[in-house]
Amino acid sequence: MEASHTSVLATESINALAVKENDVVVDATLGGAGHFAALLSCLGPDGMIIGVDADPAAVERGRKAYAEDRRPERPVAHLINENFRNLERILERLKVTSVNAILFDLGWSGYQIGEARGFSFQKDEPLLMNYSDTGETAADLVNTATETELADLLYTYGEEHFARGIARSIVQNRAKDRILTTGALVDAVLAGTPVWYQKRKIHPATKTFQALRIAVNDELGSLREGLSAALDALAPEGRLAVITFHSIEDRIVKNMLRDAVQEGLGELSPKKPIVPSRSELLVNRRARSAKLRVFTRAATPATDLINSVTPFIAYV
């Protein structure tokens, strides 16, 4: 079956960003390029769109989406194969000092699941889980970490209640033969969890795969750095939209945006996260855990107001 991808909360995120024709826009997670294409269509010839992704295949999908825009005058587009944690450096390189709209979609695309990189437990494939062909793989981690390290990783990044049992099972299984495929990892998970846990609607390996993917790609560290750079780059009244898919990353986003509000940098709009409609859930099951949080930069941040009145206070 050919891989495909349906962008989650597409209408809601585009509406929330309220892109104008001459805006500078960043899609920090190109993925399937669905959001990128929608943002591109909002821009005119004086606008600019910057697409970023650590996966080179996602960048190619962005290039294809840009090529398919047949308007005689399109906005300038920069498609960059890099981790969004380097957003500050990317903008400096492009000499972009402020951005009007920034989108982070923290889910992985259906294309990535179909690339046989070990993201899915639905079929047996190499246990990689990294977004490029370089760096540590999930197999490296599974076969070298200690039992305690594995248990801590599964509990911290996957919130897996049977982390100790699964870690013990992984160590026992790899002693017989290295765990190099998703199928071998699933077998270890099944051996380390009770039967009742395996009969639930959610696959028993879900949290283990989540934890390993996060660890291999340092997703939480990347998120903190990328989000911090995005908040710094927002123009006055600029908007930042972040779509999360699990509680760990959503907690980071929620806390960082809350801190930005408390510092007087802007406000959440709306205050509560936006979730998929019932109609979207019926056609796209992957959307079931998605949350969209939107932050709007203040027209004049509170820190700027304080700095502007300081000289007058000094001379009183």
Side-chain angles (χ1 to χ4, degrees), residues 75-127:
V76 172
H78 299 279
L79 287 305
I80 299 168
N81 181 203
E82 200 162 340
N83 193 303
F84 63 59
R85 76 187 312 158
N86 300 318
L87 182 58
E88 180 180 4
R89 188 170 66 196
I90 291 168
L91 296 178
E92 286 177 354
R93 198 162 63 226
L94 296 174
K95 295 181 170 56
V96 173
T97 56
S98 66
V99 181
N100 304 102
I102 305 176
L103 173 66
F104 288 80
D105 176 0
L106 302 180
W108 68 90
S109 76
Y111 294 105
Q112 289 170 323
I113 295 174
E115 286 172 356
R117 299 200 65 85
F119 290 112
S120 174
F121 42 72
Q122 301 292 351
K123 51 188 176 181
D124 195 22
E125 56 192 33
L127 189 60

Side-chain angles (χ1 to χ4, degrees), residues 13-68:
S13 56
I14 300 304
N15 288 344
L17 289 170
V19 174
K20 301 180 180 63
E21 284 194 348
N22 60 346
D23 278 350
V24 176
V25 177
V26 172
D27 182 350
T29 48
L30 279 165
H35 288 117
F36 175 82
L39 291 168
L40 175 65
S41 69
C42 297
L43 294 169
D46 295 326
M48 177 190 293
I49 187 164
I50 302 164
V52 180
D53 207 290
D55 183 352
V59 176
E60 287 303 316
R61 287 189 287 272
R63 290 197 179 103
K64 181 179 179 183
Y66 185 67
E68 289 174 349

Side-chain angles (χ1 to χ4, degrees), residues 25-253:
V25 177
V26 172
D27 182 350
T29 48
L30 279 165
H35 288 117
F36 175 82
L39 291 168
L40 175 65
S41 69
C42 297
L43 294 169
D46 295 326
M48 177 190 293
I49 187 164
I50 302 164
V52 180
D53 207 290
D55 183 352
V59 176
E60 287 303 316
R61 287 189 287 272
R63 290 197 179 103
K64 181 179 179 183
Y66 185 67
E68 289 174 349
D69 185 335
R70 303 299 186 183
R71 289 177 293 171
E73 293 185 313
R74 297 175 296 176
V76 172
H78 299 279
L79 287 305
I80 299 168
N81 181 203
E82 200 162 340
N83 193 303
F84 63 59
R85 76 187 312 158
N86 300 318
L87 182 58
E88 180 180 4
R89 188 170 66 196
I90 291 168
L91 296 178
E92 286 177 354
R93 198 162 63 226
L94 296 174
K95 295 181 170 56
V96 173
T97 56
S98 66
V99 181
N100 304 102
I102 305 176
L103 173 66
F104 288 80
D105 176 0
L106 302 180
W108 68 90
S109 76
Y111 294 105
Q112 289 170 323
I113 295 174
E115 286 172 356
R117 299 200 65 85
F119 290 112
S120 174
F121 42 72
Q122 301 292 351
K123 51 188 176 181
D124 195 22
E125 56 192 33
L127 189 60
L128 302 175
M129 293 197 191
N130 49 358
Y131 295 123
S132 64
D133 294 326
T134 60
E136 182 182 52
T137 67
D140 294 331
L141 187 54
V142 162
N143 288 288
T144 60
T146 66
E147 182 177 325
T148 299
E149 289 170 340
L150 285 169
D152 289 346
L153 184 153
L154 297 180
Y155 184 77
T156 302
Y157 294 154
E159 299 180 319
E160 174 57 73
H161 293 300
F162 293 100
R164 291 185 183 278
I166 294 171
R168 188 180 309 112
S169 177
I170 287 173
V171 171
Q172 290 172 348
N173 282 26
R174 79 187 188 193
K176 303 170 190 173
D177 196 5
R178 295 185 72 211
I179 298 174
L180 299 176
T181 66
T182 55
L185 179 58
V186 169
D187 288 343
V189 172
L190 295 178
T193 53
V195 174
W196 68 262
Y197 191 65
Q198 300 167 21
K199 294 181 178 180
R200 304 180 313 152
K201 288 184 179 180
I202 299 174
H203 193 286
T206 299
K207 293 181 177 181
T208 296
F209 273 65
Q210 172 186 300
L212 289 171
R213 191 195 77 236
I214 289 173
V216 166
N217 298 287
D218 188 23
E219 291 183 7
L220 303 186
S222 296
L223 176 57
R224 291 186 182 95
E225 292 179 29
L227 204 53
S228 177
L231 288 166
D232 287 343
L234 274 184
E237 300 183 328
R239 293 189 165 219
L240 167 66
V242 187
I243 304 173
T244 64
F245 288 84
H246 60 75
S247 60
I248 300 172
E249 64 189 12
D250 185 61
R251 196 177 304 126
I252 291 173
V253 174

